[in-house]
Amino acid sequence: MADMEDLRDGKDFGLDRPQDKGGFIVKGNANGDWGIKRRLSRLFNPDTGRTVMLAFDHGYMQGPTSGLERIDLTIVPLAQYADVLMCTRGVLRSLIPPTLNVPVALRATAGASVLTEMSNEAVSVAMEDAVRLDACALAAQIYIGAEFEHQSIMNISKLINEGLRFGIPTLAVTGVGKEMARNARYFGLATRIAAEIGSHYVKSYFVEEGFESICAGCPVPIVIAGGKKLPEQDALDMAYRAVDQGAAGVDMGRNIFQADDPVAMIQAVSRVVHELEKPQRAYEFYNDLKAQSRAA
Ligand code: 5RP
């Protein structure tokens, strides 16, 4: 075991020397096999190396939260503007038209709800079913520091092992329990552990201080969750700063589907992520689209 008496926080993240991608669009994945790289090339836009994932898997733990009461009415109209849909297999089969040609990151764990200990999850989707559903990624939470930390790390490890058999990448989602700090030290630890165990990419949260170091210290791409609903301009600003500081995109839920105009919002987020549009311009674009849809 490493000497626990002299744990030093990392200091030199080489921010002026970006990691060499080895000729592949997705950081840290140049040495993956053909099927993994094929799916990653669907998840990440080959022109920009970034992605706008639309997350609407919240119901697996939270039930019909605001904006997701009727996914057929609120999410289906948005789906064509997303690069990736992140959802459960139940919603995918029940409500998402299979003719919609948008890749899916499949929520692959379950076992808890907001009423109990959220970290008490297990892998819940058989790999055969993920293949049947044409999943491009398997997604599960890694709960560092939580009661069921070990179990969550093993869940991700199992998905990676099984996914590799079928060429399906794994997305580790850094879950934050109610008591956990949301700072660079915590997310630096959680994202690095997720990458070290073999996750192909990692979902985390933007933090005001030290986000660039979190991205630099994680050898695979980080996409950010949106978190709680913010005013639209603030959410665009957060997406811009995240990408500018090294994130490979967003996996955003509430800040899109709870926006005043979700269809306009996802298109504005996409401009920020793929074109590095400045937040003010992206917000103007959002308002223009909103005005057009109201006039129609
Ligand atoms: C919940 C998730 C969500 O997909 C994640 O929280 C993203 O959604 P939001 O942008 O609303 O935070 O992993 O289990």
Side-chain angles (χ1 to χ4, degrees):
M1 191 171 93
D3 180 355
M4 302 298 286
E5 284 182 13
D6 190 19
L7 295 180
R8 300 183 192 187
D9 284 341
K11 284 198 286 284
D12 184 4
F13 289 92
L15 298 180
D16 57 335
R17 286 161 289 150
Q19 184 180 319
D20 183 353
K21 289 186 178 177
F24 185 52
I25 51 159
V26 184
K27 182 173 114 169
N29 281 278
N31 300 322
D33 74 12
W34 198 91
I36 293 281
K37 289 173 83 171
R38 169 77 165 179
R39 288 184 174 86
L40 287 170
S41 301
R42 293 185 65 200
L43 296 164
F44 291 86
N45 181 322
D47 292 331
T48 64
R50 294 192 282 267
T51 186
V52 174
M53 299 178 63
L54 176 62
F56 52 100
D57 59 328
H58 307 53
Y60 95 102
M61 232 184 220
Q62 294 179 29
T65 193
S66 175
L68 297 182
E69 301 89 336
R70 286 286 304 277
I71 285 173
D72 54 331
L73 300 179
T74 58
I75 296 296
V76 172
L78 294 181
Q80 63 182 299
Y81 300 104
D83 296 317
V84 181
L85 306 178
M86 179 169 169
C87 62
T88 60
R89 64 176 166 180
V91 158
L92 191 62
R93 280 206 167 92
S94 311
L95 299 171
I96 305 300
T99 47
L100 188 75
N101 194 17
V102 178
V104 169
L106 192 65
R107 157 69 51 192
T109 49
S113 78
V114 283
L115 304 179
T116 59
E117 170 50 48
M118 292 192 298
S119 64
N120 191 7
E121 290 196 324
V123 171
S124 59
V125 174
M127 208 51 56
E128 288 77 3
D129 206 30
V131 172
R132 206 176 285 126
L133 289 167
D134 191 29
C136 271
L138 305 157
Q141 249 88 345
I142 180 165
Y143 282 104
I144 298 304
E147 187 177 348
F148 293 92
E149 172 190 88
H150 173 79
Q151 192 171 303
S152 74
I153 292 173
M154 290 302 116
N155 290 340
I156 301 279
S157 301
K158 185 173 177 188
L159 291 176
I160 293 166
N161 288 333
E162 291 291 303
L164 285 173
R165 292 176 54 219
F166 294 91
I168 306 180
T170 294
L171 167 64
V173 178
T174 56
V176 274
K178 293 174 192 124
E179 308 301 322
M180 287 170 201
R182 290 174 175 240
N183 57 29
R185 196 171 189 207
Y186 177 76
F187 289 121
L189 173 72
T191 55
R192 181 59 174 262
I193 291 173
E196 296 261 357
I197 63 175
S199 305
H200 297 88
Y201 68 120
V202 183
K203 173 171 167 175
S204 190
Y205 287 84
F206 180 72
V207 291
E208 297 289 334
E209 297 287 323
F211 185 75
E212 208 173 0
S213 298
I214 299 173
C215 292
C218 182
V220 296
I222 289 180
V223 293
I224 62 154
K228 68 176 185 199
K229 174 72 175 68
L230 302 169
E232 282 79 359
Q233 191 167 3
D234 293 354
L236 293 167
D237 185 61
M238 178 176 68
Y240 179 85
R241 285 190 292 149
V243 169
D244 190 48
Q245 292 176 38
V250 301
D251 186 9
M252 201 175 255
R254 288 163 286 177
N255 276 292
I256 292 175
F257 62 68
Q258 292 176 354
D260 198 26
D261 186 331
V263 173
M265 188 62 180
I266 192 167
Q267 292 178 81
V269 171
S270 193
R271 278 226 175 160
V272 169
V273 168
H274 290 302
E275 298 173 31
L276 274 176
E277 183 81 276
K278 290 280 193 307
Q280 179 59 37
R281 293 280 304 274
Y283 185 56
E284 287 162 15
F285 176 62
Y286 166 77
N287 281 324
D288 288 347
L289 290 177
K290 191 167 97 171
Q292 283 167 26
S293 76
R294 301 251 153 117

